[in-house]
Structures are given as C-alpha cells and as structure tokens.
Amino acid sequence: MTAIQINGLGLVGGFGCGQQALLGALEKGEVSPVAVALRDHHIPLLQADSAPLENFLNKRALRRIDHFSRLALLGAFQALEDAAQPALDKSRLGLVLASGFGPLTTTFDFLDSVIEDGDICASPTAFSNSVHNAAAAHISMQLQITGPNLTISQFDQSLAAGLLSAWQGLAEERVDAVLLGVVDEYCPVLGHCWEKFCEIPGAQRMTPLDFSRMTGIVGEGAAFFLLQRETPIPARYGRINSVKVGNLCGSKPQLEIVRPLILGCEGLLNNGATYGQYVANGQPVACYSPLYGASPVSPAFDLAVAALSLQRGLLFPSSDDGGDYYQGGVIRETRPCSALGCLRFGNDGEYAVIHLSRGDL
C-alpha cells in the first residue's frame, strides 16, 4: 500500500468547532486566548468548547461524560458526518485514539477523591472516565463502531504513532477504514506545571518562529480523520504518502527542500532551536500553532491544515510571519499547494515527518 486517503475531518479547538472555524482562523491569522483562573491570577488558554456536541447527543446521554471524552466525541461525530458515507460498515471500521496526556481533569479528580475520602469512598465514575481508553469506549458505544479499538499515548508523537497503527490495519486489510483521533485537554495541574517548568510570563500572542523566547500558550482540543485505502476515486483531503519517525540520536529527518513544510514548533525554547538546526534556510515553511496553542494535539491540527490546503489547492500564510527573527523562507502569502509535509520535533530528540499530496496526483 503506497498511500492512505483522508476522506473526513472533525475538529474542535481554541479556534472554534469545525472546518469553517479553522478556515476562518487561518484567513484571519490569529485567535485570541481566554484568561482562566489559576490560584490567585489568570493564565491565557486556547480553550476548546465541547457544547456543540449537543447537536449530536442529548443531555441525558452526556451527563456522566467528562470534557475530554466530549471533545473526542465531538471530533468523531463531525468526521463521520463530513465523510458522508452512510454505507460504511462499522464492523469493518477501526478506531484509533491518540493522546499525549489523557483525561487529566478526571484523573486528578479521582486522585483527589482518594486522598480526601480514602480508597473506599473514591469516586467510581471518576475512575471509569480516568482511564485513557474511556474516550474510545464512549465513541464506540455512541457511534456503534464495532471494529478494532486502540488507544495510544506517546506524548509529542501520539499522532505519528496513531497514523502508523492505522496504516498497518489498512495495509493488512483488517479494516476498510480507520477513524483516527487525537485529543488532549487543559487542567489546572497542567497550568501549574506550565508556569513552573516553562516559565512563560503570560504571553498573549505566540511567536513560535522566534526560537530565542518562550511564547507558548497552552491549547486543547480534538482532531479526527477518516482514513481509507487508496481507490480510483480521488481523496477528499489529499493522501498521506509516508509517515517517518526517528530520533536525532541515530538519524535525522529527510526533508524535500522544494516542498513546503508545516513546522510543529510551539514557542518553547527546549525544542524550538532544533527546527532552526535541521530546517534549511531555503525551505518554505509555515507555522499555525498560534491558532490552537501548544499541546500534544497540535500536530493533528497541523495535519488538518495540510489536508484543508490540499483540498483547496492553496497553502495559507503562516500565522507567525517570522518577523525579524527568522531568516528562513516563511510563507507570508497564499500560494498554490499540491504537496507538502508536516514536521514535529519532540523534547527528547524524537521526530516525525508526514508527507502528503493531493488525491488526484
């Protein structure tokens, strides 16, 4: 199998809910964060709103489902609705859910109940929603998906790990399609760690291509993709030609300098400089993380931007134009796009490169 098609998208993040919300943010070039309380002050957050899920499920069905799983359900419903394939056999539909942190809020709520009330009074509802695969179970039940179901957590590279698993399932013809989703959420403990370890002084605008400063803003959300084997019918959002992963300890990413790259930098010092080291000066690059923030779900939003660019045949201007601090080839105007890549470096030298092209090429 030489490629997989992207035939459905479901999105919710700091930019809003759905493709049109992301397209609007891409055209505007910025999203304003909200201020959330943290102890005696506030911090900026690119917050995702799961309220539109009530368009798909009634309130009674949602009453014991937490924010993390609601985000996942909203992305999953949108992706299948967008694919518009009513004949899709859900017993042959695989589900792969990837997350860097998992359901943080519910996990810490459960731990608090153990600390405050003891083992015997710990909340069973919080426990059942705190396990990483709870969201995948909710999706499976609500959408009647009975194919293989897998949850993956590989922090920065959760998307790449999920894509490789989906690819394998499709290549071995274990399934006819895979619903792949990446989801992560904010919680106050994450906000505390963000302040303590990243020492970011409350930035209101991210400049991720400035590798000399910390400007990252926490984000959250979910991005889902309906993936299928190649058919004579062109893919709706292009095709993924390869997913390459490695570690800088033993290899380096193979980049095609003629193709634009979406960089996964997020305004963090610890891996920002890595992009400057491995991306050639003449490489056309764009970065859109100011629209959805710093989070393990951000690479999935990068992939969604790539998919939408291939569908329209146009690559959007970078949300960070590089200012006077980036000397590379930042894309500052809309340009034709038939093939591109997404590059993501992790904090410990791991990397992933995803190459995509239009479905009719």
Side-chain angles (χ1 to χ4, degrees):
M1 194 173 72
T2 57
I4 52 178
Q5 296 183 337
I6 303 175
N7 287 324
L9 285 180
L11 307 166
V12 55
F15 51 84
C17 178
Q19 292 180 34
Q20 292 306 315
L22 180 55
L23 287 170
L26 286 163
E27 290 172 358
K28 188 177 178 183
E30 61 180 352
V31 172
S32 299
V34 299
V36 293
L38 183 66
R39 299 188 302 277
D40 58 349
H41 61 290
H42 291 78
I43 65 169
L45 168 67
L46 285 161
Q47 189 173 44
D49 182 7
S50 63
L53 182 57
E54 293 182 11
N55 296 328
F56 298 97
L57 291 173
N58 61 48
K59 290 184 178 180
R60 183 174 182 180
L62 294 172
R63 62 194 173 98
R64 290 186 177 176
I65 298 179
D66 63 7
H67 180 60
F68 180 85
S69 292
R70 289 184 183 208
L71 291 175
L73 278 163
L74 181 53
F77 270 106
Q78 287 183 80
L80 287 189
E81 182 182 64
D82 180 52
Q85 297 184 16
L88 187 65
D89 180 359
K90 292 185 178 177
S91 69
R92 296 278 301 167
L93 174 61
L95 174 60
V96 178
L97 191 137
S99 176
F101 295 126
L104 286 175
T105 303
T106 306
T107 297
F108 286 111
D109 283 348
F110 173 68
L111 292 175
D112 286 345
S113 73
V114 173
I115 293 169
E116 293 169 3
D117 303 319
D119 293 355
I120 197 168
C121 292
S123 168
T125 302
F127 172 76
S128 63
N129 279 306
S130 70
V131 292
H132 272 43
N133 56 359
H138 285 302
I139 294 171
S140 202
M141 289 187 291
Q142 297 296 342
L143 287 166
Q144 290 85 52
I145 297 173
T146 56
N149 188 317
L150 176 67
T151 296
I152 292 174
S153 182
Q154 198 168 319
F155 195 49
D156 272 319
Q157 305 301 350
S158 294
L159 169 66
L163 278 172
L164 291 172
S165 296
W167 194 303
Q168 192 70 16
L170 291 167
E172 295 176 351
E173 299 188 5
R174 294 174 183 269
V175 291
D176 296 332
V178 175
L179 183 61
L180 167 66
V182 184
V183 56
D184 268 288
E185 68 170 348
Y186 167 84
C187 84
V189 176
L190 180 63
H192 169 78
C193 295
W194 191 259
E195 281 199 322
K196 183 175 180 61
F197 298 115
C198 297
E199 298 178 350
I200 295 175
Q204 289 298 315
R205 176 172 173 77
M206 290 174 62
T207 53
L209 294 178
D210 182 354
F211 303 141
S212 66
R213 295 195 303 140
M214 299 280 274
T215 62
I217 295 175
V218 186
E220 64 172 7
F224 276 70
F225 308 86
L226 184 71
L227 306 175
Q228 292 175 296
R229 283 185 291 275
E230 277 209 285
T231 69
I233 303 172
R236 292 189 61 197
Y237 299 100
R239 60 184 183 182
I240 300 173
N241 299 312
S242 67
V243 181
K244 303 292 186 185
V245 298
N247 194 292
L248 295 175
C249 293
S251 62
K252 61 181 183 179
Q254 300 300 309
L255 307 175
E256 298 179 34
I257 196 166
V258 295
R259 292 190 176 187
L261 265 184
I262 296 178
L263 303 184
C265 42
E266 300 177 315
L268 305 177
L269 279 179
N270 52 356
N271 72 357
T274 312
Y275 290 92
Q277 183 178 355
Y278 286 92
V279 177
N281 276 342
Q283 180 88 51
V285 300
C287 181
Y288 305 104
S289 60
L291 307 180
Y292 29 81
S295 164
V297 73
S298 295
F301 289 135
D302 289 343
L303 181 63
V305 173
L308 290 169
S309 299
L310 291 170
Q311 183 203 33
R312 295 159 61 95
L314 295 171
L315 185 59
F316 301 89
S318 175
S319 299
D320 179 9
D321 65 8
D324 297 328
Y325 41 81
Y326 187 77
Q327 302 304 312
V330 180
I331 297 169
R332 295 188 170 90
E333 295 181 353
T334 302
R335 57 178 284 176
C337 177
S338 60
L340 75 170
C342 298
L343 172 64
R344 172 79 170 189
F345 285 112
N347 292 326
D348 297 315
E350 69 276 16
Y351 64 82
V353 186
I354 302 168
H355 289 294
L356 305 96
S357 64
R358 267 176 42 188
D360 55 350
L361 296 181

